[in-house]
Amino acid sequence: MVNIADYAGGQPAWCPGCGNFAILNAMKKALVDLALEPHKVLMVSGIGQAGKLPHYTKGNVLNVLHGRTLPAAAGAKIANPGLTVIAVGGDGDGYGEGGNHFLHSVRRNHDITYLVHNNQVYALTKGQASPTSDVGFVSKTTPHGASTMLNSLAVAIAAGGTFVARGFSGDPDHLAELIKSGIRHRGFALIEVLQPCVSFNHRNTNAWYKERAYKLEGTSHQAGDRFAAMQKSQEWGDRIPIGVLYRQERPTFEDEFPVLAKGPLVKQAMDPAQVSALLDEFM
Amino acid sequence: MAVDINIMVGGEAGQGVQAAGFIIAKALARYGLSVFADQDYESRVRGGHNFFRIRAGDGKVGAISEEVDILLALDQLSVDLHKGEVSSDGVIIFDSDKTNVGPGKRALGLPLERTAIETAKNKQSANTVALGAAMAVIGYDVAALKSVVLDYFGTGESGPANADAAARGYEASRAGSRWGIAKQASPASAQKRMMLNGNEAIAVGALAAGCKFVSAYPMTPSTTIMEYMAGKADELGIVVVQPEDEISAINMIIGAAYAGVRSMTATSGGGFCLMVEGLGLAGMTETPIVVLNAQRAGPAIGLPTRTEQGDLLFALHASHGDFPRVVLAPANVEDAFWLTVKAFNLADEYQVPVIVLTDQYLASSYATAEGFDLSKVQIKRGQLLSEGDPSKPEHYKRYEITASGISPRAFPMQSAAPVVADSDEHNEEGHMIEDAETRAAMMMKRQRKLEGLKKEISGPRTHGPPQADITLVGWGSTLGALREVVDTAAQHGLSVNLVHFAEIWPFPTEAANMALRGARRTFAVEGNPTAQFARVLRTEMGHQVSGAILKFDGRPLTPAYILAQLRKEVA
Ligand SMILES: Cc1ncc(C[n+]2csc(CCOP(=O)(O)OP(=O)(O)O)c2C)c(N)n1
Ligand code: SF4
Ligand SMILES: [Mg+2]
């Protein structure tokens, strides 16, 4: 039996009231509900407040560079598909510095779950605008206000995403369910989480999100309909949908390699004699 | 050498210069000759001017000659550009319907394209007709030639058609037969020899070493490594990925290596620039990776298809902060194989990134090699927490502080021990820290690995008389050319020997001191404008070279060029 104590970790260095606490708890709850043991889970995180998350729980951790979360997570998954791989990072990490990796990881459909803590700000570096900051968001680096925000969920759907969802740290039970579905999904599961930053984002506060967030579950939304999903992804303002916007089954990147069907790469024998036939080809 | 033949195939991109050159080289290798062949090509797919030079001898051939005995000119430009390089008793083989050779050189005109259409129904096979003619001129056996052509084109339609085309070219030029290499060498007397280029040697070296994951972004001249490995991936049970960019490539292999799989990437200078932060990540997280940089002429896009030794200091210093690394620079195809194997072993044993530095010249030059004895390939994975070790998984410390600086490695899911690796400075458990004491202890732990590493690095090769007036100092792909300079220097009244480095970092200070102890005048010979290796000699052992012979025009250092410069220097 796996229980929540198995996922106990270090003392978080986040500000009191930060939305990251709820995301951490939701993730732990999801892992416990799925009865995954910590040593079978790999959290690959970037740099930012969000990227610190794996240090505050238990499991395999690869805390990498700012923006480079997804390639490292993909490499680890290919080496050992037996691992449950969860990538964790902020909005700046994933959509700014790591934008190219985001686009292509979604497209390739690696079998990993990606949590983007979207506080619409660069928090660790103390409050600059991010790619998802609201239009007009004034910060020290954007005195005239931020320009158009990146619609990351629409981008993910357009790029061939197979699981595109939004959660809210203010609804941790709902978020835990989303994380469970994401982990169970075969393929790349993007879960963007609305996360208030009490220190640097005084515009998109917990109350601001709470007023607007509404659940897609129980509405007529069809997550299998790509056009409907695209339409939902455009909603941002008075109402912000949370839940699974889009879901589709297609082969994962790892499915493309026949060698992985024989078992994890890390378990396969290393034998120099294997190349002797190759040497003959040079004769 | 009783036999020393130099053949050049020249033509436009798309005319089969590479194919013809390769077949000739392979045919000569099958005769038991030592072969060296380099390629000079432009960054384009059609048109322009490319050439392929083959040198074959009955001694060890390690470099190209600037003098050509037989020029196969597939177009007019090849005649115009290379006629001057043809030796006094050399021959130009050309298409008598299209090309004009003019006076001054012996020439053998054949209707190459017409013959190709008659035999292979395809003017594209003009290159095969021409190579048939060349092989007749040097007295090669026609049956042996046909078998090489068949091997190259396969048994489908094009195999027999091209074998016919080669035979027709051969028949048509019989009369001019000279050199008579058949008398001096033959397939029967030949011991089995491989012929391969530097990139192929790196790729098979990596496969032999148990590399199971490659992530690389195409960039000349490194691309054929990933292409070769992707072609063998299913057969050998490996995964080759072409990601979105080089940043992704290096971070992917770090992820895979962390998970326990031997992993590499291959690139050229520009791609290596993008990998630099990732290199530091491997250094900080102590993740073993192998990064191949096949240097090309830089900076920026530079000369995409041409050679340079311009990235040495960059490779030694790439990324911010200090961390141990290894830099190896193979001298030839044998080194390319064996140093790649060594790269994987050192990476695993010391948990460091290893950079293998080649260049376009080594990457795309073919050379004969004695077979690689696979029984000598050792796979040394270093200190691992043994499989499923249940002793104390709860207390596993990924970065345990040890005397050697090496902390036993565990892979995720190998046992119940979670493996925590961090790009931030961290404690022994792998969790991020900020206190000064732990930071200093961890930095020292990582730096201590250099002490062990230094013992692993082989010293320089030496060649020539123990005492000489002049000592040439080189590194990487120039070994063959430098050896030839040493061997022929006496004919020019010069007394020369050589000290050559293939294993560069950590710098083998003691062995270098020994090798350079008695040197009177030292000349650095390098493919860059600032004598980068001479700077390493100065900083690492306080040695000041007397002079430098440098080349940075994108073309390889040839024996003739080095000798000519040396004679100027000492005149
Ligand atoms: C290459 C590089 N550039 C810049 C930084 C500095 N940096 C650290 S975190 C960060 C932004 C963090 O924002 P986000 O990813 O949204 O995470 P948050 O702190 O908001 O959770 C930046 C710019 C860095 N570490 N590395
Ligand atoms: S700065 Fe913002 S994101 Fe960072 S811990 Fe504080 S509240 Fe959370
Ligand atoms: Mg943020």
Side-chain angles (χ1 to χ4, degrees):
Chain A
M1 261 299 286
V2 182
N3 59 53
I4 206 85
D6 295 330
Y7 279 98
Q11 189 58 40
W14 291 318
C15 314
C18 173
N20 280 327
F21 290 98
I23 303 177
L24 174 62
N25 289 336
M27 191 190 78
K28 289 198 220 172
K29 179 173 190 314
L31 294 170
V32 171
D33 285 358
L34 293 173
L36 282 162
E37 295 162 278
H39 75 280
K40 294 184 178 155
V41 176
L42 168 61
M43 289 162 283
V44 181
S45 70
I47 300 299
Q49 298 288 20
K52 295 177 183 173
L53 177 140
H55 293 287
Y56 308 143
T57 175
K58 185 87 142 295
N60 295 292
V61 179
L62 180 56
N63 187 356
V64 295
L65 300 168
H66 184 52
R68 313 305 168 195
T69 323
L70 293 174
K77 182 71 185 183
I78 293 166
N80 191 351
L83 284 165
T84 295
V85 178
I86 302 171
V88 184
D91 43 324
D93 189 279
Y95 304 147
E97 192 84 69
N100 200 25
H101 310 314
F102 172 63
L103 207 57
H104 293 278
S105 301
V106 168
R107 173 179 70 81
R108 284 190 296 256
N109 201 30
H110 297 283
D111 188 13
I112 61 185
T113 303
Y114 184 29
L115 294 177
V116 181
H117 301 209
N118 184 13
N119 51 13
Q120 303 186 256
V121 71
Y122 282 19
L124 188 65
T125 46
K126 301 197 188 324
Q128 304 79 14
S130 97
T132 51
S133 289
D134 270 354
V135 183
F137 180 78
V138 173
S139 74
K140 284 186 184 165
T141 56
T142 51
H144 307 297
S147 45
T148 304
M149 73 192 276
L150 181 81
N151 189 332
S152 42
L153 301 189
V155 167
I157 296 165
T162 57
F163 185 102
V164 180
R166 181 187 282 125
F168 172 34
S169 62
D171 193 341
D173 290 336
H174 176 255
L175 177 58
E177 288 308 312
L178 278 185
I179 297 174
K180 273 156 65 178
S181 306
I183 292 173
R184 279 203 213 96
H185 174 72
R186 281 192 89 253
F188 191 92
L190 169 67
I191 303 169
E192 183 180 295
V193 188
L194 302 173
Q195 174 234 326
C197 167
V198 296
S199 297
F200 297 111
N201 190 340
H202 303 297
R203 183 169 173 143
N204 311 102
T205 59
N206 196 48
W208 190 92
Y209 289 127
K210 198 154 219 130
E211 236 168 65
R212 291 164 172 79
Y214 75 95
K215 287 186 196 132
L216 286 172
E217 294 83 357
T219 70
S220 62
H221 178 63
Q222 297 289 325
D225 181 338
R226 199 154 182 238
F227 289 96
M230 197 48 115
Q231 225 157 21
K232 272 287 163 220
S233 72
Q234 305 305 311
E235 257 181 63
W236 181 275
D238 292 343
R239 279 164 65 77
I240 302 174
I242 61 172
V244 179
L245 275 76
Y246 184 58
R247 189 204 303 251
Q248 176 209 0
E249 293 293 329
R250 70 176 163 90
T252 67
F253 186 70
E254 293 71 31
D255 289 338
E256 290 171 24
F257 297 94
V259 44
L260 295 180
K262 294 181 208 145
L265 276 185
V266 68
K267 291 267 183 212
Q268 295 186 23
M270 299 162 79
D271 176 12
Q274 261 197 315
V275 305
S276 105
L278 304 188
L279 297 185
D280 290 341
E281 291 171 4
F282 295 116
M283 297 284 183
Chain B
M1 289 191 291
V3 179
D4 186 357
I5 310 171
N6 295 283
I7 301 175
M8 176 189 280
V9 185
E12 289 182 7
Q15 278 196 307
V17 169
Q18 206 268 350
F22 180 84
I23 291 167
I24 293 170
K26 189 98 181 176
L28 294 167
R30 291 253 178 106
Y31 255 44
L33 296 171
S34 172
V35 174
F36 189 93
D38 81 333
Q39 305 188 51
D40 184 298
Y41 54 100
E42 295 180 359
S43 185
R44 58 196 286 173
V45 176
R46 288 278 182 274
H49 176 67
N50 294 348
F51 61 84
F52 193 109
R53 285 183 289 196
I54 305 118
R55 183 172 181 200
D58 51 355
K60 171 95 185 138
V61 176
I64 219 64
S65 150
E66 290 187 356
E67 206 173 58
V68 175
D69 297 314
I70 300 174
L71 170 63
L72 274 71
L74 299 180
D75 65 353
Q76 184 67 46
L77 193 58
S78 299
V79 175
D80 301 343
L81 288 173
H82 300 293
K83 191 173 168 183
E85 293 157 39
V86 177
S87 61
S88 53
D89 58 352
V91 183
I92 301 173
I93 295 170
F94 66 102
D95 194 324
S96 50
D97 290 344
K98 311 190 344 187
T99 310
N100 188 357
V101 171
K105 288 281 154 75
R106 294 204 307 153
L108 174 59
L110 298 171
L112 298 177
E113 283 192 0
R114 251 194 298 143
T115 311
I117 291 165
E118 282 166 30
T119 50
K121 316 264 175 298
N122 183 352
K123 75 173 188 179
Q124 206 60 36
S125 295
N127 60 344
T128 319
V129 179
L131 78 88
M135 298 313 267
V137 169
I138 63 167
Y140 197 88
D141 177 67
V142 69
L145 174 63
K146 284 173 82 167
S147 98
V148 180
V149 173
L150 272 175
D151 283 357
Y152 183 86
F153 288 100
T155 45
E157 229 172 81
S158 65
N162 276 285
D164 272 1
R168 275 287 289 281
Y170 188 95
E171 301 303 333
S173 65
R174 255 226 142 112
S177 184
R178 58 183 290 281
W179 273 282
I181 66 154
K183 290 193 207 83
Q184 325 216 17
S186 75
S189 69
Q191 45 176 157
K192 269 207 152 184
R193 270 197 168 147
M194 298 192 297
M195 189 184 88
L196 72 175
N197 66 32
N199 276 355
E200 288 167 339
I202 300 262
V204 287
L207 293 169
C211 173
K212 298 241 180 272
F213 183 65
V214 181
S215 182
Y217 189 85
M219 188 169 192
T220 306
S222 68
T223 315
T224 56
I225 295 175
M226 71 177 297
E227 287 177 343
Y228 179 89
M229 293 177 89
K232 305 292 182 196
D234 293 350
E235 192 183 319
L236 291 201
I238 70 162
V239 171
V240 179
V241 174
Q242 179 188 324
E244 58 278 14
D245 56 33
E246 289 88 346
I247 302 176
S248 183
I250 193 164
N251 285 285
M252 264 193 198
I253 67 167
I254 289 170
Y258 159 84
V261 165
R262 282 196 162 181
S263 304
M264 78 178 281
T265 185
T267 186
S268 187
F272 186 63
C273 289
L274 294 182
M275 292 181 181
V276 162
E277 196 190 13
L279 199 70
L281 177 64
M284 185 56 135
T285 55
E286 306 193 42
T287 307
I289 55 167
V290 174
V291 178
L292 177 111
N293 174 2
Q295 300 162 96
R296 67 191 222 183
I301 300 301
L303 297 171
T305 61
R306 305 198 181 270
T307 203
E308 197 158 275
Q309 293 185 301
D311 300 352
L312 175 65
L313 293 175
F314 179 39
L316 294 179
H317 301 289
S319 207
H320 63 294
D322 284 302
F323 57 92
R325 74 186 71 200
V326 176
V327 178
L328 306 174
N332 50 34
V333 294
E334 283 94 349
D335 263 13
F337 178 88
W338 291 110
L339 290 185
T340 300
V341 172
K342 183 165 186 171
F344 278 99
N345 284 338
L346 291 181
D348 261 351
E349 292 180 273
Y350 290 88
Q351 305 175 21
V352 292
V354 178
I355 299 163
V356 180
L357 263 189
T358 65
D359 51 34
Q360 183 272 334
Y361 178 62
L362 174 58
S364 61
S365 291
Y366 287 90
T368 42
E370 308 308 330
F372 304 138
D373 181 356
L374 296 175
S375 68
K376 296 218 163 69
V377 175
Q378 289 184 348
I379 293 179
K380 300 190 250 183
R381 300 224 61 188
Q383 296 180 41
L384 299 177
L385 194 75
S386 57
E387 189 80 10
D389 184 351
S391 54
K392 43 172 187 174
E394 287 311 300
H395 308 292
Y396 174 65
K397 293 175 173 172
R398 172 65 191 92
Y399 301 108
E400 185 182 342
I401 294 193
T402 60
S404 63
I406 301 167
S407 321
R409 244 178 117 204
F411 306 145
M413 273 174 79
Q414 195 182 28
S415 71
V419 181
V420 181
D422 194 1
S423 161
D424 298 272
E425 189 57 273
H426 40 257
N427 57 20
E428 288 185 288
E429 287 78 17
H431 289 295
M432 54 200 293
I433 57 92
E434 300 209 24
D435 70 281
E437 203 179 319
T438 311
R439 156 67 174 182
M442 278 296 159
M443 184 58 102
M444 286 189 303
K445 164 193 135 55
R446 289 188 293 268
Q447 290 298 118
R448 272 202 298 281
K449 294 195 276 187
L450 278 169
E451 293 162 24
L453 268 174
K454 268 206 169 229
K455 301 196 187 94
E456 307 276 355
I457 297 293
S458 303
R461 292 178 169 105
T462 55
H463 185 67
Q467 287 295 322
D469 296 339
I470 294 162
T471 297
L472 300 177
V473 183
W475 63 278
S477 69
T478 55
L479 178 67
L482 288 167
R483 275 190 173 148
E484 190 171 330
V485 171
V486 169
D487 293 341
T488 53
Q491 297 166 23
H492 301 274
L494 296 173
S495 153
V496 180
N497 64 14
L498 170 67
V499 177
H500 184 277
F501 294 77
E503 303 189 18
I504 293 186
W505 200 263
F507 188 74
T509 314
E510 256 175 62
N513 264 319
M514 291 281 284
L516 286 168
R517 209 172 29 185
R520 295 180 192 134
R521 292 179 77 188
T522 50
F523 283 88
V525 183
E526 301 187 49
N528 62 60
T530 53
Q532 296 187 13
F533 190 73
R535 191 141 122 197
V536 175
L537 290 180
R538 203 157 60 235
T539 56
E540 296 308 309
M541 58 182 286
H543 179 91
Q544 177 65 49
V545 293
S546 321
I549 295 171
L550 306 171
K551 201 168 199 297
F552 40 86
D553 57 1
R555 274 66 182 175
L557 280 152
T558 59
Y561 175 84
I562 299 166
L563 254 177
Q565 294 303 113
L566 193 59
R567 291 171 75 182
K568 269 193 235 161
E569 292 279 347
V570 300

